[in-house]
Amino acid sequence: MSEFKYKSSQLHIEGVAISTISKSIPTPFYVYSATMIENNFLSLQSRLSDLNHLICFAVKANSNQAVLRTLAALGSGADVVSLGELKRALHAGVPPHKVVFSGVGKKAHEIEYALEQGILQFNVESVAELHNINKVAIKCNKSANIAIRINPDVAVDTHAKITTGTAENKFGIGYEQALDTFVLADNLPAITVQGIHVHIGSQITDVTPFKAAFKRVADLYKQLNALGIDIKVLDLGGGLGICYDPENDSLPDMAEYRQIIEDELSEFNCQYIVEPGRSLTADTGCLVSEVIYDKLGTDRNFLIVDAAMNDFARPSLYDAYHRISPVLESTKPNKKYDIVGPVCESGDTFAVARELPELESGDLVVIQDCGAYGAVMSGTYNTRPLIAEVMVKNDAFAVIRKRQNLDDLINLDQIPNWLAS
Ligand code: LLP
């Protein structure tokens, strides 16, 4: 259930009016509902109840430690893809034995740190990586628990830039090579094979492709079993979508998703890992921005807001649709606006020809469903500092990431001595 609601014409997140937050925190900023994060987690957990499962939140979706801690307190593990994400997850209180380490390019120092911490498993994506993990583990006098990510060559209906499970993607080991790779792994001295990993893409709203992918996992399990290779963990990846556009999107059918897992995989008595990112946090956060100028033309009306593509990249990167709403409920007539940021690129556009009640300088708007792949994908293009993140719980709010100080950003540059005056 959404915690974003108008009360007395003011958009609230839980018990706090967004306009109250903006009195002490300059726009733009991200704000998340802690209660929604908790509810999303608990609802997935109850969906999977009675299945031996572990939810490992995909930290790449939202790596703020307050978010990670909120999830860890409910028992979540973490799916990390870098040393930085691993450290954040551990600092936030995720126990190492609930951490899986994915990603195609793990470097030796990252592998070493993860091994020392005693993580649950490495999700291996290539033969070269397998040899490297084995080498590092020998050096550390440890054995590395691994799953091998297979590429099931299953297409899903999502944006081309976020599909991952087809043969032309860089992810996983081709299905035809999977068996040989498992046999190789099983023979490496410092590798303990424990799982099969699959992840087919993101923002999946029709769950049927999971069936084809899990069928391949089941086939492989049987072949490995026949060879005496003992698989205990099936890591089913993430990918469940959310409804960004109520007029066009549907939500994934979670009962069907669970049924697919049961139908295809339950005979094996393995532990299931799932790695949801977007479905746990996307709808829990929004980006609050102030209208700097309106610019009314004969052809187009522009609203120039103080958030930009560097703060929130999804619309410019994927042409992603995000609902945009005024913070103050208004009875003014609607106008069609292109909502754009101040960055010097035409792609710095959040919405085109969007109907909103008339707005002017100083009005606040929220861009919705920014709680996943929002703040984490921001940058400092046009020398714009990273913006603040805020969390609301009931009637309280707190800054969970300070806005980056402009001087700190500028002072990262160094002038070589041949240029020093
Ligand atoms: N596991 C693996 C191995 C992944 O690569 C991903 C996402 C996830 C789990 C989590 O997927 P989710 O449940 O969030 O769909 N920046 C893009 C999304 C990129 C997803 C990358 N991998 C976007 O803003 O749509």
Side-chain angles (χ1 to χ4, degrees):
M1 201 185 68
S2 179
E3 292 289 341
F4 293 83
K5 288 194 192 97
Y6 288 99
K7 296 175 203 166
S8 317
S9 299
Q10 285 282 349
L11 186 60
H12 282 63
I13 172 165
E14 305 202 19
V16 180
I18 287 176
S19 57
T20 305
I21 306 175
S22 74
K23 287 195 182 100
S24 55
I25 296 158
T27 55
F29 58 84
Y30 282 98
V31 56
Y32 312 114
S33 157
T35 302
M36 282 180 78
I37 296 172
E38 289 167 354
N39 288 344
N40 285 347
F41 181 87
L42 294 172
S43 119
L44 179 63
Q45 202 172 47
S46 81
R47 254 310 155 201
L48 300 176
S49 64
D50 308 327
L51 297 178
N52 174 12
H53 76 277
L54 174 65
I55 301 173
C56 289
F57 174 62
V59 172
K60 63 168 78 72
N62 189 322
S63 59
N64 190 289
Q65 291 172 69
V67 171
L68 300 180
R69 186 169 287 230
T70 303
L71 290 166
L74 299 174
S76 182
D79 165 40
V80 302
V81 293
S82 68
L83 179 61
E85 285 192 358
L86 173 58
K87 288 194 168 186
R88 276 175 187 264
L90 297 176
H91 281 169
V94 179
H97 66 269
K98 290 187 181 173
V99 175
V100 296
F101 195 164
S102 304
V104 293
K106 305 174 194 78
K107 296 183 81 171
H109 73 285
E110 299 182 299
I111 296 166
E112 186 170 338
Y113 186 84
L115 270 175
E116 276 160 7
Q117 301 303 312
I119 65 162
L120 173 58
Q121 77 185 20
F122 293 89
N123 288 336
V124 176
E125 303 236 14
S126 63
V127 171
E129 182 194 340
L130 193 56
H131 284 298
N132 200 28
I133 295 178
N134 182 53
K135 192 166 122 194
V136 177
I138 290 172
K139 185 182 134 206
C140 301
N141 205 12
K142 296 219 185 284
S143 184
N145 296 330
I146 65 127
I148 293 176
R149 175 170 179 182
I150 60 157
N151 184 326
D153 200 13
V154 170
V156 295
D157 180 22
T158 187
H159 193 284
K161 285 190 183 156
I162 52 177
T163 179
T164 52
T166 61
E168 70 258 33
N169 298 129
K170 68 180 173 182
F171 300 101
I173 305 248
Y175 188 68
E176 292 67 32
Q177 301 160 332
L179 194 63
D180 288 350
T181 312
F182 271 95
V183 172
L184 167 72
D186 195 45
N187 284 315
L188 290 174
I191 296 287
T192 305
V193 176
Q194 67 178 25
I196 305 173
H197 177 220
V198 69
H199 170 80
I200 55 176
S202 197
Q203 184 51 16
I204 298 170
T205 51
D206 169 10
V207 297
T208 37
F210 284 112
K211 197 167 182 78
F214 297 170
K215 266 191 197 305
R216 294 212 127 175
V217 171
D219 280 351
L220 186 60
Y221 178 96
K222 287 178 195 153
Q223 294 172 53
L224 292 170
N225 195 44
L227 294 175
I229 298 178
D230 189 21
I231 297 296
K232 299 188 184 69
V233 178
L234 299 177
D235 183 335
L236 308 178
L240 294 164
I242 70 141
C243 174
Y244 286 104
D245 177 0
E247 302 208 337
N248 294 305
D249 292 346
S250 56
L251 281 171
D253 181 336
M254 291 304 292
E256 197 182 333
Y257 178 72
R258 184 197 160 112
Q259 197 58 50
I260 293 173
I261 298 177
E262 289 197 48
D263 291 349
E264 303 305 327
L265 304 170
S266 62
E267 66 186 284
F268 307 129
N269 281 322
C270 288
Q271 181 191 35
Y272 304 108
I273 294 177
V274 285
E275 303 168 344
R278 187 190 317 268
S279 55
L280 294 190
T281 60
D283 66 351
T284 73
C286 68
L287 172 57
V288 182
S289 184
E290 186 181 293
V291 176
I292 311 177
Y293 301 116
D294 59 347
K295 179 161 140 177
L296 308 180
T298 42
D299 222 26
R300 292 282 172 105
N301 300 316
F302 292 99
L303 275 183
I304 300 153
V305 298
D306 64 358
M309 63 191 284
N310 70 297
D311 304 308
F312 184 53
R314 298 196 77 255
S316 55
L317 207 52
Y318 316 119
D319 294 322
Y321 177 94
H322 283 259
R323 286 173 291 159
I324 299 180
S325 318
V327 164
L328 184 64
E329 207 170 25
S330 153
T331 48
K332 290 190 187 160
N334 276 2
K335 254 199 164 58
K336 263 192 191 162
Y337 290 111
D338 283 12
I339 299 162
V340 300
V343 158
C344 299
E345 293 211 23
S346 302
D348 185 19
T349 297
F350 292 119
V352 175
R354 192 69 68 84
E355 292 243 353
L356 281 174
E358 268 172 29
L359 289 161
E360 58 186 31
S361 299
D363 286 338
L364 295 178
V365 293
V366 297
I367 303 175
Q368 294 185 49
D369 303 316
C370 299
Y373 307 111
V376 283
M377 288 173 61
S378 55
T380 58
Y381 187 36
N382 281 202
T383 308
R384 294 167 50 88
L386 297 178
I387 64 178
E389 291 175 271
V390 178
M391 184 178 266
V392 172
K393 177 86 202 252
N394 301 327
D395 295 331
F397 72 92
V399 173
I400 57 170
R401 183 180 76 185
K402 281 196 290 194
R403 184 190 195 86
Q404 188 177 30
N405 178 307
L406 187 53
D407 288 337
D408 289 347
L409 171 59
I410 294 171
N411 289 335
L412 287 172
D413 298 354
Q414 300 189 54
I415 306 293
N417 45 16
W418 65 87
L419 287 176
S421 49

